[in-house]
Amino acid sequence: MQLCRIGDELSTGDPIGAAGAATGLGGRGVRPAPYTGSVATTEYEAVPAVAGEDAQEHLGTVVMKFGGTSVADPEKLRGVAERLVAAREAGNRVVGVVSAMGQTTDELHALARQMSREPDRRELDMLVSVGERISCALVAMAIIDRGHRAESLTGSQAGIVTDTTHGKAKIVDVKGRRIHAALDNDKIVLVAGFQGVSTEYEVTTLGRGGSDLTAVALAAALGADRCEIYTDVEGVFTADPRIVPEARKLHAVSYDEMLEMAASGAKVLQLRSVEFARNHRVKLHVRSSFGDTDGTWVTEEDDRMLEKAMISGVTHALDETLYRVDGVGAARLFAELAAASVNVDTIVQTGSEVVFSAPDSDHADVTAVLERLGCSWSSRDDLGKVSVVGAGMKSHPGVAAKAFATLDELGIEPEIVTTSPIKIACHIAAGDVERAVRGLHGAFELDQRAAERAHA
Ligand code: ADP
Ligand code: ASP
Ligand code: MG
């Protein structure tokens, strides 16, 4: 299924850089001529091979990752230590990956901005990588106090080698020898998430939410049985449970579905970590750090998933900017954006005009590229995106019709529609997003028990 449509014209005027505004241009423009011959894609990042020599099977290795809320204060850090000790006492070789405590990363960013309007990226990585180091040293201390051996490692010490892109570096190699040696010495190993060392020996970070990627990359490199992602919800739900209280926890979701869900806004797993897990067949178990119930398994597609419910969830995003560009070929434009490490999502090309979306956090990079190319462009940040995702829609026509009918009943008109074989995404007014999520969630009966895809 390939479908796309563009509604209202993007607002026009001075490019943001020239106008000196911090975000997209306001106001609405004229209705465009109908669009024909469009192409819609979702781009995923290429994933490097991990060091083959370290990837041999080490039975009984488990990587357990704990997010910011799960390590927010000393009591929670002690709880994490206890979980890691319990896993060790159950006979596993245990690697813990921890995020920075609570909002530490945001606070460090805010601190940096008090020093500089646009902090130097190398220095910013030196600063924000500290948050994760604090957590892992504290957890190691708590484990040692419980009579176990433990060792905390920075990303660099753990052998995570990246390219040289500060702020969103890509992993190019994982050297697992030091971790294996510590595990062989009966230690529980703690690794600071979200960071590595570049091929130029600089500290780098892996992008927001990057501790998930640290955990998955280590699980792949160490040949771990599974990677457990402990977080502040009980698993992956049919929608963000903070917006849809009746959302159901999914028992299982396929890599492809999780990729689409993460790409379209389900923040529970970082997109790049899911991509890495799929490419290296790392079994992921997303679960609560505050209880013992089974969470959500992210694995290969299984017929049982689709028998129960063809839609896995409704996702949303509010942190994307949409750009409309004319006067530069798509090949050159996307080559330049890729060179600037911009994470482009939706792309729609019609004649000489290209429309694409990118995270708000990449806005300065996109602006710099467009200014350098000297093309005419405009942007808007008043749109959000709501998506319906499910592997079952490959073989069930009518999902798009139901999605559009539901939005129509709510009086919501999509501005752009893009699809993949397992996703329908609609850019709509940001203020309508929550209503649209709830409406679609109900329309596809995701509040019913069958939506959980329970195998039992
Ligand atoms: P952590 O700090 O543990 O990495 P995150 O904040 O990154 O946790 O991700 C967990 C959050 O993801 C949840 O609190 C929830 O609000 C949000 N979320 C968004 N969509 C979903 C979804 N479909 N299922 C579960 N959680 C979701
Ligand atoms: N602390 C980093 C962030 O807030 C990485 C992470 O939590 O995964 O983005
Ligand atoms: Mg996260």
Side-chain angles (χ1 to χ4, degrees):
M1 182 167 44
Q2 279 289 314
L3 170 77
C4 96
R5 166 181 171 267
I6 301 184
D8 288 353
E9 180 69 85
L10 290 170
S11 54
T12 53
D14 287 340
I16 287 158
T23 54
L25 303 166
R28 302 286 283 269
V30 293
R31 203 161 261 280
Y35 283 79
T36 53
S38 311
V39 179
T41 60
T42 303
E43 278 202 347
Y44 296 119
E45 186 189 337
V47 171
V50 289
E53 65 194 275
D54 294 322
Q56 80 262 27
E57 203 75 355
H58 277 263
L59 283 179
T61 304
V62 58
V63 176
M64 300 164 69
K65 179 260 169 179
F66 298 85
T69 325
S70 313
V71 294
D73 55 46
E75 197 188 322
K76 293 203 173 86
L77 286 162
R78 281 192 288 273
V80 167
E82 264 150 34
R83 264 191 197 275
L84 293 166
V85 164
R88 176 75 199 112
E89 288 178 349
N92 298 287
R93 290 156 64 88
V94 179
V95 177
V97 173
V98 284
S99 288
M101 294 171 71
Q103 307 303 313
T104 301
T105 310
D106 289 334
E107 287 160 14
L108 291 172
H109 273 280
L111 195 59
R113 276 196 302 276
Q114 287 182 40
M115 296 297 124
S116 158
R117 220 174 123 247
E118 208 165 310
D120 179 84
R121 291 184 186 193
R122 177 192 182 277
E123 301 309 328
L124 193 58
D125 273 354
M126 287 294 287
L127 180 73
V128 297
S129 58
V130 167
E132 270 67 13
R133 297 183 186 199
I134 292 172
S135 313
C136 78
L138 290 172
V139 173
M141 291 172 196
I143 291 173
I144 293 165
D145 252 32
R146 281 160 181 71
H148 277 262
R149 307 189 74 195
E151 183 172 295
S152 65
L153 301 173
T154 65
S156 166
Q157 290 172 324
I160 296 172
V161 182
T162 73
D163 68 11
T164 54
T165 314
H166 285 292
K168 47 186 166 181
K170 290 184 184 138
I171 294 175
V172 297
D173 199 1
V174 181
K175 299 180 189 295
R177 273 192 221 104
R178 181 160 179 181
I179 296 182
H180 278 310
L183 293 172
D184 290 345
N185 260 322
D186 207 24
K187 288 180 179 166
I188 295 172
V189 179
L190 279 306
V191 178
F194 172 59
Q195 59 188 273
V197 61
S198 79
T199 47
E200 300 288 329
Y201 307 106
E202 299 285 5
V203 172
T204 48
T205 59
L206 308 175
R208 296 308 303 262
S211 299
D212 293 340
L213 181 58
T214 303
V216 174
L218 286 176
L222 300 172
D225 293 349
R226 63 189 185 282
C227 180
E228 303 202 319
I229 305 283
Y230 289 85
T231 185
D232 58 1
V233 286
E234 284 186 358
V236 180
F237 282 69
T238 50
D240 186 341
R242 292 180 203 283
I243 290 189
V244 186
E246 58 279 6
R248 295 273 178 168
K249 182 177 74 187
L250 292 157
H251 172 80
V253 59
S254 72
Y255 290 121
D256 286 345
E257 287 176 315
M258 196 62 234
L259 260 182
E260 291 285 16
M261 288 179 80
S264 55
K267 295 209 163 46
V268 63
L269 282 174
Q270 189 218 28
L271 172 61
R272 288 166 59 191
S273 73
V274 184
E275 196 178 21
F276 208 108
R278 180 185 65 170
N279 290 7
H280 295 279
R281 296 289 175 250
V282 175
K283 261 188 255 157
L284 290 177
H285 187 195
V286 182
R287 55 192 307 193
S288 169
S289 50
F290 307 121
D292 284 319
T293 48
D294 207 40
T296 301
W297 287 93
V298 185
T299 58
E300 310 275 1
E301 190 172 305
D302 173 334
D303 285 346
R304 286 176 300 179
M305 292 179 189
L306 309 184
E307 274 163 24
K308 307 278 179 183
M310 60 178 176
I311 303 298
S312 54
V314 177
T315 54
H316 71 282
L318 286 164
D319 49 4
E320 275 187 8
T321 305
L322 205 69
Y323 300 86
R324 180 176 295 236
V325 179
D326 212 335
V328 60
R332 180 147 178 246
L333 171 64
F334 291 110
E336 294 281 335
L337 289 169
S341 297
V342 172
N343 291 316
V344 174
D345 181 35
T346 304
I347 302 173
V348 183
Q349 180 170 9
T350 311
S352 66
E353 189 171 72
V354 179
V355 174
F356 67 91
S357 66
D360 292 342
S361 54
D362 284 350
H363 190 69
D365 291 330
V366 177
T367 305
V369 167
L370 296 176
E371 289 295 298
R372 201 167 53 243
L373 290 172
C375 49
S376 76
W377 64 279
S378 57
S379 70
R380 58 189 288 188
D381 63 355
D382 59 341
L383 295 178
K385 191 170 66 178
V386 60
S387 309
V388 178
V389 177
M393 71 173 79
K394 281 182 284 195
S395 49
H396 289 78
V399 174
K402 191 180 221 170
F404 297 138
T406 305
L407 293 178
D408 198 45
E409 274 164 32
L410 293 168
I412 298 171
E413 197 184 339
E415 304 257 354
I416 298 181
V417 177
T418 46
T419 71
S420 81
I422 64 165
K423 179 184 75 177
I424 297 163
C426 300
H427 278 86
I428 60 176
D432 287 335
V433 164
E434 291 199 8
R435 226 157 42 89
V437 171
R438 287 191 205 101
L440 290 166
H441 193 268
F444 286 100
E445 298 180 359
L446 295 175
D447 48 356
Q448 303 298 307
R449 198 161 182 280
E452 293 173 11
R453 300 168 160 185
H455 286 185

